[in-house]
Amino acid sequence: MAEQVTPIPESVLARTVFASLGGIVEIGAVNATGTWRLADVSVGGFLAVRSGEVAGLLDGIREVGRFGAPAMAIADELGYLRDHPVTSASLLLWSGAVTGVPQPLERLEEPQVVWRMCRMGADLQSTCLLEALTAAAITARVEPGEGAERIAGLLRIACDLADATGRSSAGTVFRIWRVARLPATLSPRSGAPEWGKAGYRAYDEQLERLLAPGE
């Protein structure tokens, strides 16, 4: 009997992708200030300067996930790709609260704390984006050779958006993703379907070729 699998809804896949992209945009806008003072942040200004990259990301995301118009509309619904304030609470979320919640809470807005949250958030949200894109491509049954090429290109753009210094590179993010995400998914105890596990293994091999050759 064929294995019965309930596909992940397209809207869920798209929301996961665009949430991570939203974190990357907010972190990138903060990093672009060079001061790490939230009062200096302009998401609208950042998006205006990087409009070409953002448009390319959206086009690539649509192709990788085979997303239709309703799924792509979620990007606008979430509001991350238009001007809005960036708060210390959102940076705490994007960075996984690794810094903890200092007392008093106002310390979250200190430039040194903001800087640390941005460094951690750039790594974490880029890794989450890679996971979300790979899951979307596998669910859409995009052939790994084609899908990995697109995902690698998107990840390079996203990493540069998050931190233009190159510290959070696509190769680094790939290695983080492989050790932090794949073992749980590919474990014999995992609830992932076998076709999904095969997809992850195939994408891992192709992404390694593109992002971490010879390592």
Side-chain angles (χ1 to χ4, degrees):
M1 180 180 294
E3 182 178 18
Q4 298 298 308
V5 177
T6 301
I8 302 172
E10 185 179 80
S11 61
V12 173
L13 292 166
R15 188 170 294 273
T16 304
V17 169
F18 292 130
S20 298
L21 180 58
I24 286 167
V25 165
E26 289 197 351
I27 290 162
V30 177
N31 278 330
T33 66
T35 66
W36 293 277
R37 297 182 187 278
L38 297 184
D40 297 339
V41 178
S42 172
V43 172
F46 178 73
L47 289 170
V49 171
R50 309 299 295 269
S51 60
E53 292 98 321
V54 173
L57 279 170
L58 292 175
D59 286 344
I61 288 167
R62 184 183 66 250
E63 294 171 355
V64 163
R66 302 288 193 262
F67 291 148
M72 293 302 296
I74 292 172
D76 186 62
E77 173 191 323
L78 292 176
Y80 294 122
L81 301 184
R82 56 177 178 266
D83 195 30
H84 65 278
V86 177
T87 67
S88 58
S90 68
L91 293 177
L92 188 68
L93 172 67
W94 300 134
S95 62
V98 173
T99 60
V101 182
Q103 296 297 327
L105 288 177
E106 288 75 12
R107 285 196 56 213
L108 274 178
E109 298 196 7
E110 293 179 359
Q112 179 67 17
V113 178
V114 170
W115 175 75
R116 291 194 68 232
M117 289 193 291
C118 285
R119 285 172 66 87
M120 289 180 280
D123 289 342
L124 178 55
Q125 294 310 312
S126 297
T127 303
C128 289
L129 180 64
L130 175 55
E131 169 64 19
L133 289 171
T134 305
I138 292 170
T139 302
R141 306 300 179 99
V142 177
E143 193 274 323
E146 173 192 353
E149 289 274 1
R150 294 188 182 278
I151 290 172
L154 293 173
L155 186 62
R156 291 187 183 101
I157 297 171
C159 287
D160 185 64
L161 277 181
D163 187 344
T165 68
R167 188 196 66 83
S168 186
S169 70
T172 298
V173 169
F174 165 72
R175 290 191 295 272
I176 293 172
W177 169 76
R178 182 161 58 183
V179 300
R181 298 300 186 102
L182 286 191
T185 301
L186 299 179
S187 165
R189 298 180 180 179
S190 166
E194 288 304 316
W195 64 264
K197 291 181 179 180
Y200 271 104
R201 290 190 172 98
Y203 268 86
D204 169 58
E205 182 177 354
Q206 292 297 322
L207 288 167
E208 180 182 54
R209 175 179 62 84
L210 295 164
L211 298 174
E215 294 186 10

